Amino acid sequence: MTGDPRRRIPRTDAVLADPRVVAAGEGAGREVVKGAVAAAQERARDGRIAPEDVVAETVAALAAGPRRVINATGVLVHTNLGRAPLSAAAVAAVGAAAGCTDVEFDLATGERAGRGRTALRALAGAVPEAEGVHVVNNNAAALVLVATVLAAGREIVISRGEMVEIGDGFRLPDLLESTGARLREVGTTNRTNRQDYAEAVGDATGFVLKVHPSNFRVEGFTAAASVAELCALPVPVVVDIGSGLLAPEPLLPGEPDARTVLRSGASLVTASGDKLLGGPQAGLILGRSGLVHRLRRHPLARALRVDKLTLAALEATLRADPPVRLALHTTLTDLETRAHRLAETLAADVVSSVSVVGGGGAPGYELPSVALALPERLALPLRLGDPSVVGRVAGDRLLLDLRSVPPSQDDELVEAVRACT
């Protein structure tokens, strides 16, 4: 038993006396701090962390509020890390809107004005094909609002191959049926054509829904009706493009965008604001003015409306290049130059890597990238640092992929690694 690593687990009194734990637990109460210590010790007994990491784990558990993270995973839109990081302009806009703001007030007349009118104008300007625009708190909310207004007590016609699970165990069919709509499934998992939809459309049809399967890809013997084909049917066509591209992106030719879909005749388009658009969490609704007006005036719209901070961040995002777009377009040459400069400072290896869009966008599409390779043992201390650095473990090495790390964070990344080594 002399070699049992559990013998190295520090005693409770020693951890409680550690200055880092004392500082982290200030104001938390002794029982809360002791609970954090006990939990860290238990993780060490189970072998989930090293005995030497009990103090760091305790400090991390006592940290108040969200922790800053440097995303070195290579996943540009990492759902578990908050999806799209905001641009400096969006952060500044949120700060300006944190106090009193003219979100629903006309400074020229001194009277009430349309809520979020400047953000909505910016969105309409980015997608001139849309006659009307509206913003709710996420894309699932956008679909719920559309289904409630257009199809409560009626049918939504949808392909079996597009009945997706949208994350965290939530499934699109359950979401839509919660509004009182009935789903009319057509086609098969891998092939659905225009005739399948046409035979299902009738007096009970509220709308046809086409969903971009953004978090998976089906290959082989497949077929899908185009938006243009569906728009020849005598009912509204709603298209959920998912990832939030407003205009075509040459680097992602398979990813649908709002402008192209609306040009094809779609009645409404729904999308996320915090994925490839690169802004805050929001659900975007674009399309025919009459339908958008009905959505905006429905009582449910009040429950789904966004706050002033989201409107400010969204408007700023629409007027500047967000980090997600910059990361997507960073050249391999620029990444290699950064990597070699950082590697000299950190005595790390430079290796080829592969990045992905993530966040349910461009499934299967890979972006060539460059990473710093460090010993795997640094993964946990880097995650528990301040700021936290999250990479990915491959084999026995920790890879810090630079495509998902903005150049402005290079100095912080170096200091974080130095602190662990």
Side-chain angles (χ1 to χ4, degrees):
M1 290 292 290
T2 56
D4 191 338
R6 289 174 294 183
R7 289 182 174 273
R8 303 200 311 273
I9 297 174
R11 302 189 318 273
T12 301
D13 58 347
V15 180
L16 290 172
D18 189 289
R20 292 168 291 175
V21 174
V22 173
E26 189 172 346
R30 185 170 178 81
E31 292 306 312
V32 172
V33 177
K34 287 178 67 176
V37 173
Q41 291 171 325
E42 187 63 27
R43 285 172 61 83
R45 291 189 192 97
D46 292 343
R48 287 178 286 173
I49 63 172
E52 293 76 18
D53 293 325
V54 166
V55 170
E57 181 89 356
T58 302
V59 171
L62 292 171
R67 297 274 299 281
R68 278 194 61 233
V69 172
I70 295 177
N71 175 15
T73 64
V75 181
L76 305 189
V77 182
H78 200 302
T79 297
N80 302 131
L81 299 181
R83 288 187 177 167
L86 295 180
S87 66
V91 172
V94 169
C100 293
T101 179
D102 64 340
V103 64
E104 211 167 331
F105 186 77
D106 189 324
L107 296 172
T109 65
E111 298 178 353
R112 182 174 181 171
R115 182 178 178 83
R117 61 202 177 282
T118 57
L120 294 176
R121 279 201 296 267
L123 180 57
V127 189
E129 292 80 0
E131 298 174 0
V133 298
H134 187 57
V135 180
V136 292
N137 53 25
N138 60 32
N139 193 32
L143 286 172
V144 163
L145 182 59
V146 171
T148 300
V149 174
L150 302 185
R154 308 186 73 193
E155 291 182 347
I156 299 172
V157 179
I158 182 173
S159 168
R160 286 187 174 87
E162 297 173 6
M163 305 276 278
V164 300
E165 184 170 309
I166 56 180
D168 195 26
F170 290 97
R171 295 177 172 178
L172 185 65
D174 299 334
L175 183 77
L176 296 173
E177 288 174 341
S178 73
T179 68
R182 302 186 303 276
L183 298 188
R184 180 76 177 270
E185 302 174 34
V186 299
T188 63
T189 303
N190 59 320
R191 294 179 68 84
T192 306
N193 55 46
R194 179 192 177 279
Q195 190 60 29
D196 293 323
Y197 290 94
E199 292 174 355
V201 168
D203 293 339
T205 304
F207 61 90
V208 167
L209 175 61
K210 186 168 181 60
V211 178
H212 175 55
S214 57
N215 56 6
F216 70 96
R217 184 173 62 182
V218 178
E219 297 179 331
F221 187 56
T222 63
S226 69
V227 174
E229 288 178 309
L230 296 180
C231 290
L233 299 172
V235 292
V237 174
V238 178
V239 182
D240 172 20
I241 63 172
S243 65
L245 274 185
L246 300 186
E249 171 51 70
L251 291 178
L252 305 173
E255 198 70 14
D257 68 277
R259 298 188 67 173
T260 301
V261 170
L262 287 170
R263 286 173 187 160
S264 297
S267 306
L268 292 172
V269 170
T270 65
S272 296
D274 56 347
K275 295 183 180 179
L276 282 170
L277 179 59
Q281 177 176 293
L284 313 180
I285 304 174
L286 311 100
R288 295 180 187 172
S289 57
L291 294 179
V292 173
H293 179 74
R294 287 177 60 189
L295 299 176
R296 186 183 296 119
R297 298 314 305 166
H298 191 276
L300 184 59
R302 171 75 181 197
L304 302 178
R305 79 176 190 178
V306 294
D307 70 342
K308 60 181 181 179
L309 304 182
T310 300
L311 290 167
L314 177 61
E315 180 176 353
T317 298
L318 291 163
R319 299 187 188 283
D321 276 336
V324 167
R325 194 175 306 155
L326 295 175
L328 188 65
H329 286 270
T330 299
T331 67
L332 197 58
T333 299
D334 287 343
L335 292 173
E336 290 171 344
T337 300
R338 285 175 60 201
H340 285 290
R341 184 179 68 250
L342 296 175
E344 289 179 6
T345 303
L346 298 172
D349 294 329
V350 176
V351 298
S352 296
S353 181
V354 173
S355 294
V356 295
V357 171
Y365 185 80
E366 296 181 340
L367 299 161
S369 191
V370 180
L372 301 175
L374 298 169
E376 180 187 1
R377 61 181 172 77
L378 296 180
L380 179 61
L382 278 172
R383 289 201 307 270
L384 298 180
D386 187 16
S388 169
V389 177
V390 180
R392 69 176 187 270
V393 174
D396 59 351
R397 296 187 297 181
L398 171 67
L399 302 184
L400 304 180
D401 192 311
L402 295 183
R403 187 175 287 279
S404 57
V405 179
S408 60
Q409 293 183 339
D410 282 355
D411 290 344
E412 279 191 300
L413 181 65
V414 168
E415 290 306 312
V417 174
R418 281 176 170 170
C420 294
T421 56

